[in-house]
Amino acid sequence: MVEITIRKRPRSEAVITQRKFFKKTARGKVIKDTNVFLSQMDLLESSLFRPPIILLQTVVEEVRHRSLPLYNRLKALMAMDGKTIWTFYNEYRSETAVIREENETPNDRNDRGIRKATAWYKDHLQLNNPPVRGKAPRKLPTFVLLTEDAANRQKAEKEGLVSLSVRKYVEGMKDSSQLLDLLASVEENEIEPTRAAGGKQFLYSEYLPSATLISGVKAGDLHQGHFNANQYNYLEGSVSVPALTKPVLLIGRENMNRATSGDIVVVEVFPESEWKAPADEVVDQDSTLKDDDVESGDEDEGEDDIVTRTESKATSSDKRTSEKQPTGKVVGVIKRNWRPYVCHIDSTSLTSSNSTSLSVQTVFATPVSRLLPRIRLRTRQAPSLIGQKILVSIDRWDVTSRYPEGHFVRALGKVESKEAEQESLLLEFDVPYRPFGKAILDCLPKEGEQWVVPPKSDTSPEWRDREDLRGLTICSIDPPACQDIDDALHARRLPNGNIEAGVHIADVSHFVHADTPMDNEAASRGTTVYLVDKRIDMLPSLLGTNLCSLRPYVERLAFSAIWEMTPDAEIVNVRFTKSVIASKAAFTYEEAQIRKDDPNQKDELTEGIRLLNSIAIKLKAKRMAAGALNLASPEVKIQLDSSESSDPIDVEQKELRETNSLVEEFMLLANISVAQKIQETSPQTAVLRRHMPPPKTNFEKLQDILQKRKGLTLDVSSSGALAASLDKCIDSKEPAFNTLVRIMATRCMLSAEYFCSGSVARDTFGHYGLASSIYTHFTSPIRRYADVLAHRQLAAAIGYSPLHPSLHGKSHVERILGVVNRRHRMAQMAGRASVEFYVGLALKGREERNKASKAGEVTEEAFVIRTFRNGLGVFVSSLGIEGLIMFKNDMQFDAENYTLSIPTPSGPPVTISVFDKVVVRIEVEKDKNTQRGRVKMTLVSPIDSKNM
């Protein structure tokens, strides 16, 4: 049995250490309770707020239990340069530890412990600084207990302690004018209400108590789900719930009841007689609310409010002609999705008399996202913030207020400046972009860029249980300028007539060890985020673009999957091994394609690519025969001025080559093979990825449009039936029509997600789009954290290394994958937003060049993909973007047949339907929400709508 020795410090040494700690912390003045860290973190993180702080163990533990994101921010705050924070473990000291009393709530027990620790510090300081004869009494610092709990303050004052609210404390500080803007509104009695909030009637219903919500959901009387705001109509939202095949429609402010996009809400479904259809028109928040006064924008008793009348008209039933669906209202919020939002100050909300004043003004902050409501905030800096991107946090949304109330966090910079736009985009999609800290960088190899695979030897840890594959003809095929090369491939013929094919993946888990600062940071980031002109790495660049990247002509550590196949691509066997490889070349897709197609090229590398391609064609045919879907998404390439410049010149469609499909097929095969292996050995905690079959109701509208506009049938009974019917959706006159239908079908799908194998039923493991019964991600560990976990599980499965304890716990794996799923979704949205921003810049440049050369307007062909009573949704395939063509007045609208009739000055009206091809005029104007250049479209043909 292993002997364990516990060594204790001598008591005298412990006393000296404690004296040093208390001597240091005696300079501290502020002790905060838990609710300060839960509500005022923006203030605490500010560089202007720098009082010495004593952080109690009780507070740290309570924050950890109440909010993991805030706990992580608290840990970062404790390590922040320029902050003076000491942690006092009051629960482990006999004089300050408290035991929960009978009938005492945990919160009251913690408050009592915080007061006791504050009192002890105060007494301790006095006892350790007795008066000295002949010397003036030493002035001792004052300990202030900051708390947002009025009852706790009263108890503290009764016990002789100095206790203040955060607002009162900040008001006495040097930079109070700027710091007060950072305060979250937590106590309504501490701050004078706006005129809009005072003396108002309720605009919304109060939420039901939590117990009622939980019991109602359990009984099936109420339903829980995520609130989704409508991007075309700010007065509508929906909530998808498991019990109903169609989402619950929420119409009007009262029924959305203060829910914001992404909130987990509880809804009550109305009786079927009260169900309604979604509106058939675009309702824009900016135009409807443009005259709303920030100070008096909520309803007074009996006031005939203009905004209310306008909104009531917009939600009226006479503009709802499509099919009815379940309708209801929000009766409670389980979890808010609130976070800091990128906004700009609405200049029209400043009062003209105070436009140059530094007194407190109440203004509207308009979020970049159209899915969010305007936020009402107080600030002393309003005039200086006009024309800037700012960060705003929502604090509360009262039943008497049309808008949520929030506070200013910080300014990001001037609108349309590249730096501000880039940072605002990252913040908008919650992408972590902070530099890697010292603790993370300390996890990297000490040799830095000089690290190399050591010479082969039995004693080298790098070579332990690794196969030497340096002699294989291996190459990588990637997009142009790819630096983080995750994967490489090889293929060769075997003496028995079969083919050996290998996928070799960067061995990231060799460098990123479990439960280290670098591993924790990678888990938090979840994925690398690719923007048009920038990459936000999941791992430090030393690994991502150097030591792990499978560069050509250098030896690298890899994790290899090697198959023996028949010439018909039937798998004979597969093995997995850690390896050392030396890639012979790094090709772009175009270079590999040219090499493959050149009959004069007959070298070993080229023959390997051809062999890989022949196998890939057969693998794809087998997938398609099994029912895999060949879907589409709009992809464009932004042409930049140069590799050093981020100025866009133009936009073009990405060209997909045969070599793209080659790489894709082998990555899919590797992922499926690894999924099968790790599921065998870790049946409860395998990190897998699934794509659930979409509800058939998701396709109803697309099926109806295809049937009525083109006479085509879309069979969605299975993935195979859908694939076959998509192949038949062709228009001989329009080759791009099939791609358009595939794009629209893709949008009817559910999103794929990572999951823990022990958390769901075995029959739900499948990947619908790939027609595979099991799947994971293994092939991109440099840029995806889920792949790192799969590598660790595979290493354990082949007996290379034991599985880390964290991967034995189902709840731990579930929690990590929850973060990774969210980061993955946000990264995709950030990438799309970056492309959209640069497409706008490129089109603006094209527009200016056309004007300078007198070449006329910028026009493009587009397909109509949606019709409204007052507009058209169009898709410009050459640019990969959608646009909304708006009309000032309602047109003659046939919702049943998806057509819009536009009157002409002379002659019959022009009828436009979904799937029609039109010509649109493209201009770039400043978007009212994002303050960026936004693509504006108007019809040129079959009718000019510029003045409509």
Side-chain angles (χ1 to χ4, degrees):
M1 187 175 176
V2 179
E3 289 188 8
I4 299 175
T5 305
I6 300 175
R7 301 180 62 188
K8 292 186 176 181
R9 290 182 302 173
R11 185 172 182 82
S12 58
E13 186 182 324
V15 170
I16 292 168
T17 304
Q18 284 188 353
R19 279 179 186 162
K20 286 180 180 178
F21 175 79
F22 293 130
K23 186 175 180 182
K24 281 182 180 178
T25 57
R27 306 187 199 112
K29 295 183 180 179
V30 179
I31 297 175
K32 297 180 174 70
D33 80 350
T34 309
N35 52 40
V36 173
F37 290 97
L38 291 175
S39 62
Q40 304 293 0
M41 193 62 84
D42 290 328
L43 170 75
L44 302 176
E45 290 171 337
S46 170
S47 59
L48 297 176
F49 189 79
R50 300 174 67 176
I53 297 169
I54 295 172
L55 182 58
L56 300 179
Q57 177 192 2
T58 303
V59 171
V60 175
E61 289 299 313
E62 193 173 358
V63 170
R64 184 169 68 87
H65 286 113
R66 296 275 292 276
S67 172
L68 195 59
L70 282 174
Y71 174 66
N72 290 329
R73 287 176 71 183
L74 176 57
K75 287 197 297 183
L77 178 71
M78 292 158 66
M80 197 177 288
D81 292 338
K83 298 288 184 182
T84 310
I85 302 175
W86 296 280
T87 304
F88 176 42
Y89 289 86
N90 59 305
E91 301 285 358
Y92 296 154
R93 189 171 181 87
S94 58
E95 298 97 321
T96 54
V98 297
I99 297 172
R100 185 176 166 187
E101 297 173 350
E102 192 175 352
N103 299 324
E104 187 178 38
T105 66
N107 186 62
D108 288 343
R109 179 261 176 206
N110 289 342
D111 285 348
R112 184 163 58 86
I114 292 166
R115 293 196 303 274
K116 186 168 184 178
T118 308
W120 180 86
Y121 248 110
K122 175 187 166 189
D123 297 340
H124 164 79
L125 204 59
Q126 291 172 343
L127 289 171
N128 282 273
N129 289 276
V132 179
R133 186 179 297 174
K135 289 188 177 181
R138 184 180 171 189
K139 186 176 180 181
L140 301 178
T142 303
F143 285 88
V144 181
L145 172 60
L146 291 191
T147 175
E148 301 288 46
D149 185 338
N152 197 22
R153 283 201 300 273
Q154 290 172 359
K155 289 177 183 177
E157 287 163 1
K158 284 181 182 177
E159 294 170 12
L161 302 175
V162 178
S163 182
L164 297 172
S165 69
V166 178
R167 181 170 292 278
K168 292 292 183 188
Y169 184 82
V170 170
E171 283 173 349
M173 294 183 70
K174 180 181 176 183
D175 297 301
S176 61
S177 62
Q178 293 181 57
L179 289 173
L180 284 169
D181 278 356
L182 297 173
L183 288 182
S185 309
V186 290
E187 290 194 24
E188 297 179 44
N189 58 355
E190 283 223 353
I191 183 168
E192 181 187 351
T194 62
R195 296 203 315 273
K200 301 295 179 184
Q201 67 178 14
F202 283 13
L203 294 174
Y204 306 101
S205 304
E206 292 277 12
Y207 293 143
L208 298 178
S210 295
T212 307
L213 297 175
I214 294 167
S215 61
V217 171
K218 195 172 182 180
D221 300 326
L222 302 174
H223 305 273
Q224 181 178 314
H226 284 86
F227 174 76
N228 297 301
N230 186 328
Q231 62 174 324
Y232 297 111
N233 184 346
Y234 80 99
L235 293 173
E236 281 188 5
S238 63
V239 179
S240 295
V241 299
L244 299 168
T245 56
K246 287 192 174 182
V248 179
L249 179 65
L250 309 170
I251 301 173
R253 287 182 180 276
E254 299 80 1
N255 292 328
M256 291 192 287
N257 199 2
R258 296 168 287 152
T260 54
S261 188
D263 287 352
I264 299 175
V265 300
V266 174
V267 294
E268 175 191 343
V269 178
F270 297 150
E272 194 167 347
S273 60
E274 297 179 34
W275 290 6
K276 295 181 179 178
D280 295 324
E281 68 175 342
V282 178
V283 182
D284 181 51
Q285 184 173 203
D286 293 329
S287 55
T288 308
L289 303 175
K290 63 184 177 183
D291 297 322
D292 206 5
D293 185 349
V294 69
E295 284 284 9
S296 58
D298 300 331
E299 291 180 281
D300 292 306
E301 285 283 355
E303 183 185 332
D304 188 11
D305 185 50
I306 297 172
V307 171
T308 303
R309 290 203 312 273
T310 307
E311 292 186 341
S312 296
K313 183 181 177 183
T315 57
S316 63
S317 58
D318 62 342
K319 294 189 176 180
R320 301 174 184 277
T321 55
S322 50
E323 188 181 344
K324 292 181 179 180
Q325 68 186 72
T327 309
K329 67 176 180 181
V330 172
V331 294
V333 176
I334 300 294
K335 185 180 180 182
R336 286 289 192 191
N337 190 41
W338 291 351
R339 57 181 176 80
Y341 296 111
V342 179
C343 305
H344 73 274
I345 299 292
D346 182 352
S347 58
T348 62
S349 65
L350 268 73
T351 50
S352 56
S353 58
N354 292 338
S355 59
T356 58
S357 168
L358 289 179
S359 60
V360 179
Q361 291 193 60
T362 304
V363 294
F364 280 134
T366 304
V368 163
S369 172
R370 293 178 177 275
L371 303 179
L372 295 167
R374 294 200 284 186
I375 303 168
R376 181 187 278 133
L377 62 88
R378 286 182 177 80
T379 175
R380 291 160 176 75
Q381 305 174 62
S384 64
L385 296 178
I386 296 296
Q388 292 209 57
K389 285 288 181 71
I390 63 172
L391 210 55
V392 174
S393 279
I394 296 178
D395 300 327
R396 65 172 189 255
W397 196 343
D398 297 331
V399 291
T400 56
S401 175
R402 182 175 287 140
Y403 306 101
E405 304 227 356
H407 67 273
F408 167 77
V409 177
R410 65 185 176 95
L412 303 176
K414 191 174 175 60
V415 297
E416 292 192 287
S417 69
K418 284 267 180 66
E419 297 75 17
E421 291 301 341
Q422 196 169 72
E423 187 177 13
S424 70
L425 190 146
L426 295 172
L427 288 165
E428 186 181 340
F429 297 104
D430 200 21
V431 175
Y433 62 98
R434 58 191 174 274
F436 292 104
K438 182 178 182 300
I440 296 162
L441 298 177
D442 285 346
C443 298
L444 296 168
K446 302 298 180 221
E447 302 88 343
E449 293 188 358
Q450 305 307 312
W451 183 93
V452 292
V453 176
K456 186 176 182 179
S457 89
D458 295 336
T459 58
S460 172
E462 281 84 0
W463 281 94
R464 179 182 65 83
D465 296 335
R466 283 187 189 272
E467 282 194 39
D468 186 351
L469 303 181
R470 292 175 294 178
L472 292 178
T473 306
I474 295 171
C475 68
S476 60
I477 306 174
D478 291 284
C482 179
Q483 293 179 303
D484 47 350
I485 303 173
D486 287 284
D487 55 88
L489 307 100
H490 89 275
R492 62 179 178 175
R493 297 191 184 276
L494 298 174
N496 64 2
N498 285 342
I499 296 166
E500 178 188 272
V503 167
H504 312 276
I505 305 301
D507 189 5
V508 172
S509 59
H510 174 84
F511 297 95
V512 182
H513 300 139
D515 204 22
T516 59
M518 185 156 61
D519 182 55
N520 294 334
E521 180 67 15
S524 173
R525 294 189 179 215
T527 181
T528 292
V529 180
Y530 293 91
L531 308 179
V532 169
D533 65 336
K534 189 173 184 178
R535 188 183 66 242
I536 312 299
D537 290 320
M538 182 183 83
L539 295 171
S541 60
L542 177 64
L543 294 185
T545 62
N546 189 346
L547 305 189
C548 289
S549 184
L550 303 182
R551 294 174 168 183
Y553 322 119
V554 292
E555 295 175 0
R556 286 288 180 253
L557 303 181
F559 209 152
S560 301
I562 301 172
W563 300 267
E564 181 182 344
M565 300 178 181
T566 67
D568 291 328
E570 295 292 339
I571 295 172
V572 177
N573 61 59
V574 59
R575 62 189 178 90
F576 306 99
T577 179
K578 294 269 188 164
S579 61
V580 177
I581 68 168
S583 173
K584 302 300 185 285
F587 298 117
T588 64
Y589 291 116
E590 183 179 12
E591 289 167 347
Q593 187 71 44
I594 292 170
R595 195 177 188 104
K596 181 191 80 67
D597 294 340
D598 184 352
N600 298 316
Q601 296 267 20
K602 294 181 181 178
D603 58 277
E604 200 174 353
L605 259 177
T606 306
E607 291 299 334
I609 293 172
R610 289 175 183 146
L611 191 54
L612 285 166
N613 190 61
S614 67
I615 293 291
I617 291 169
K618 292 166 185 172
L619 289 172
K620 184 171 184 177
K622 290 176 189 291
R623 279 198 311 109
M624 292 301 162
L629 295 171
N630 183 16
L631 299 173
S633 59
E635 289 195 68
V636 294
K637 184 169 70 175
I638 311 293
Q639 291 183 341
L640 299 179
D641 193 11
S642 67
S643 57
E644 292 79 25
S645 168
S646 60
D647 295 326
I649 298 174
D650 214 338
V651 187
E652 63 182 32
Q653 282 185 297
K654 277 188 180 176
E655 184 182 350
L656 295 179
R657 298 176 170 85
E658 207 174 16
T659 45
N660 289 80
S661 180
L662 181 162
V663 174
E664 181 185 12
E665 289 306 319
F666 277 99
M667 297 307 112
L668 293 176
L669 180 62
N671 289 334
I672 292 168
S673 299
V674 170
Q676 292 166 342
K677 184 68 175 179
I678 63 176
Q679 165 60 15
E680 287 173 11
T681 54
S682 302
Q684 289 299 304
T685 58
V687 173
L688 301 176
R689 187 167 175 81
R690 66 176 178 174
H691 182 209
M692 295 290 285
K696 292 181 174 55
T697 52
N698 285 21
F699 289 95
E700 284 180 355
K701 179 153 268 188
L702 179 57
Q703 286 175 304
D704 194 44
I705 295 171
L706 282 167
Q707 180 62 50
K708 289 176 176 174
R709 302 310 319 156
K710 293 289 186 178
L712 296 169
T713 302
L714 199 64
D715 184 351
V716 296
S717 57
S718 68
S719 62
L722 176 58
S725 55
L726 282 173
D727 288 340
K728 295 173 185 174
C729 288
I730 55 176
D731 184 337
S732 57
K733 298 176 183 175
E734 187 46 66
F737 173 71
N738 184 259
T739 302
L740 177 66
V741 174
R742 291 181 190 276
I743 290 171
M744 295 173 76
T746 303
R747 294 175 183 181
C748 300
M749 300 286 179
L750 301 176
S751 297
E753 62 179 2
Y754 298 106
F755 70 100
C756 176
S757 59
S759 304
V760 302
R762 181 65 181 84
D763 60 357
T764 64
F765 279 21
H767 197 293
Y768 179 80
L770 297 174
S772 176
S773 60
I774 194 167
Y775 192 68
T776 191
H777 270 166
F778 163 77
T779 54
S780 296
I782 291 176
R783 60 185 178 91
R784 291 188 306 229
Y785 188 70
D787 301 53
V788 177
L789 298 180
H791 274 233
R792 290 175 185 158
Q793 291 181 333
L794 183 61
I798 65 173
Y800 180 83
S801 59
L803 193 62
H804 190 268
S806 63
L807 288 174
H808 286 294
K810 190 165 70 173
S811 60
H812 178 75
V813 174
E814 285 174 343
R815 184 178 62 78
I816 288 178
L817 294 183
V819 174
V820 171
N821 278 325
R822 181 173 174 276
R823 294 293 190 203
H824 185 74
R825 286 192 301 271
M826 289 298 198
Q828 286 182 317
M829 290 190 282
R832 288 184 200 125
S834 176
V835 169
E836 189 178 317
F837 173 60
Y838 273 88
V839 166
L841 290 180
L843 290 175
K844 188 175 183 180
R846 190 192 290 184
E847 189 180 1
E848 288 169 355
R849 290 195 299 274
N850 279 16
K851 282 181 182 177
S853 63
K854 298 181 180 178
E857 302 168 321
V858 177
T859 60
E860 291 283 351
E861 289 186 335
F863 283 102
V864 176
I865 57 172
R866 192 160 180 178
T867 52
F868 299 96
R869 192 178 297 277
N870 59 343
L872 296 169
V874 298
F875 175 68
V876 183
S877 57
S878 61
L879 302 175
I881 58 171
E882 287 182 38
L884 192 61
I885 297 170
M886 294 289 294
F887 304 115
K888 293 172 185 173
N889 301 307
D890 289 357
M891 301 294 171
Q892 188 177 336
F893 178 59
D894 183 351
E896 192 174 331
N897 291 301
Y898 309 100
T899 63
L900 195 68
S901 293
I902 305 172
T904 58
S906 59
V910 173
T911 300
I912 299 176
S913 309
V914 172
F915 292 138
D916 283 359
K917 184 180 264 191
V918 296
V919 178
V920 296
R921 178 187 297 107
I922 297 177
E923 301 168 284
V924 179
E925 63 177 13
K926 184 175 282 191
D927 187 284
K928 292 179 182 176
N929 285 59
T930 65
Q931 293 292 290
R932 302 175 187 139
R934 178 175 73 101
V935 175
K936 179 188 175 185
M937 297 186 193
T938 50
L939 278 177
V940 174
S941 172
I943 187 172
D944 195 321
S945 68
K946 193 163 191 177
N947 298 315
M948 287 185 177

